[in-house]
Amino acid sequence: MTPLRLGYLYGIGAYLLWGFFPLYLKLLRPAGAVEILAHRIVWSVVFVALVLGALRNVGFLRALARRPRTLAGIGVAAVLIAFNWGTYIYGVTSDRVVETALGYFINPLVVVLLGVFVLRERLRPAQWAALGVGGLAVAVLTADYGRPPWLALVLAFSFAGYGLVKKTLGLPAAEGLFVESAVLALPALGYLGWLTADGAATFGQVSAAHTALLVSAGAATAIPLLLFAGAANRLPLTNLGMIQYLAPILQLGCGVLIFHEPMPPARLAGFALVWLALAIFTADAIRSARQTRTRTRTAATHPEPVTSI
């Protein structure tokens, strides 16, 4: 199998798992959102530690201990991803799957926005147009909900911020997830201990299947992330960007078709504007990537003449 085809399999596998993740979270009831988040953190540490141990890849911890600025960045990334995870779990368990899907639809637009204000990047006209249409979509959805779609906005901005921090850190997927989860493990264990002492924990109290599902939260978190890392190493960024819409499409389908969440005309119009913005954004990204490849091939075929002094 070619690396490109393998990359597509990894990418589609990752986004399929993320797309159907609401079905898994619904099975964790009656556990509350914070309890689920705490188990997700703790069991992620355990699962990834086993993976790294099997790969005999633990030496990176010693090197990382000598990089305090990287450790500080990991702390920031850990807080952002915990906020994102917690918000997403709350959204699914409170029957707001459609709004969580909206958050991941608008995430690419928020990434572009952060590029402007944080990295001082200059946008092309089509990118500005996509942001404008995206802003109009948020306004329409605000009118429909009677409030700004805070859940979607928190998900989009927290995940975009997490991606920005991760980009600066440059850690591999498994190592990064292990350290981020380890940073959060102590407060997560503390919360679970308090919950157990208070008699409010569901772990081990509902059924053996429920307990097993909570334990599997580590694998459910790590496996799609590792698949995504495998795809990112093999696919062009433009191709990977196209696949990323698979997850929110499936999440939206889960919300509307399986959980029967409402989709009134005004909300559908807001989503349609979001999809229009993404279509503009994606078409521009494809065109820009093609132009870059054309310039690269031209430069390789017709190099600049070397002049002597």
Side-chain angles (χ1 to χ4, degrees):
M1 184 178 293
T2 65
L4 187 65
R5 183 171 296 181
L6 190 60
Y8 276 115
L9 288 177
Y10 284 154
I12 292 170
Y15 284 112
L16 280 175
L17 290 173
W18 279 326
F20 288 116
F21 202 58
L23 301 178
Y24 166 73
L25 289 177
K26 291 282 191 178
L27 295 175
L28 300 183
R29 289 174 171 174
V34 182
E35 183 181 5
I36 295 171
L37 173 63
H39 278 289
R40 188 174 185 181
I41 291 167
V42 170
W43 296 113
S44 291
V45 174
V46 174
F47 182 84
V48 181
L50 292 173
V51 171
L52 293 174
L55 297 175
R56 302 179 183 274
N57 186 16
V58 293
F60 77 96
L61 290 172
R62 289 191 295 271
L64 196 59
R66 297 191 292 270
R67 298 162 58 188
R69 291 185 63 180
T70 300
L71 289 173
I74 290 172
V76 174
V79 171
L80 286 170
I81 198 59
F83 203 60
N84 180 270
W85 286 353
T87 303
Y88 182 74
I89 294 167
Y90 167 76
V92 173
T93 55
S94 60
D95 301 320
R96 293 164 69 181
V97 176
V98 168
E99 193 174 347
T100 64
L102 174 64
Y104 291 108
F105 273 124
I106 66 176
N107 176 70
L109 302 176
V110 174
V111 171
V112 172
L113 199 63
L114 288 183
V116 173
F117 290 102
V118 178
L119 302 179
R120 304 296 180 184
E121 295 177 352
R122 297 182 63 181
L123 298 187
R124 296 182 293 273
Q127 291 175 311
W128 281 115
L131 286 177
V133 175
L136 179 61
V138 172
V140 170
L141 289 164
T142 297
D144 172 65
Y145 281 111
R147 55 169 175 78
W150 292 118
L151 199 69
L153 293 173
V154 168
L155 285 172
F157 276 92
S158 60
F159 197 68
Y162 172 73
L164 182 64
V165 174
K166 290 283 284 185
K167 181 179 178 180
T168 62
L169 294 176
L171 289 175
E175 288 84 341
L177 178 62
F178 174 78
V179 180
E180 290 158 13
S181 300
V183 168
L184 300 167
L186 190 59
L189 283 169
Y191 176 78
L192 291 175
W194 172 80
L195 208 61
T196 302
D198 196 47
T202 63
F203 185 79
Q205 303 299 317
V206 178
S207 66
H210 182 266
T211 300
L213 284 169
L214 283 173
V215 172
S216 67
T221 298
I223 289 173
L225 188 65
L226 295 175
L227 289 173
F228 173 80
N233 290 335
R234 292 169 174 84
L235 292 179
L237 188 59
T238 305
N239 299 39
L240 192 61
M242 292 291 291
I243 301 174
Q244 74 176 327
Y245 301 128
L246 180 61
I249 288 171
L250 291 173
Q251 290 166 6
L252 178 63
C254 287
V256 175
L257 301 176
I258 298 177
F259 303 132
H260 306 293
E261 294 184 15
M263 179 62 82
R267 192 167 305 168
L268 185 59
F271 269 85
L273 286 170
V274 171
W275 297 328
L276 175 60
L278 291 175
I280 296 170
F281 175 77
T282 303
D284 177 71
I286 293 172
R287 183 180 59 83
S288 177
R290 286 175 177 170
Q291 289 177 345
T292 301
R293 285 196 297 268
T294 300
R295 286 195 296 267
T296 302
R297 285 196 297 265
T298 302
T301 307
H302 304 288
E304 291 292 329
V306 177
T307 58
S308 58
I309 299 176

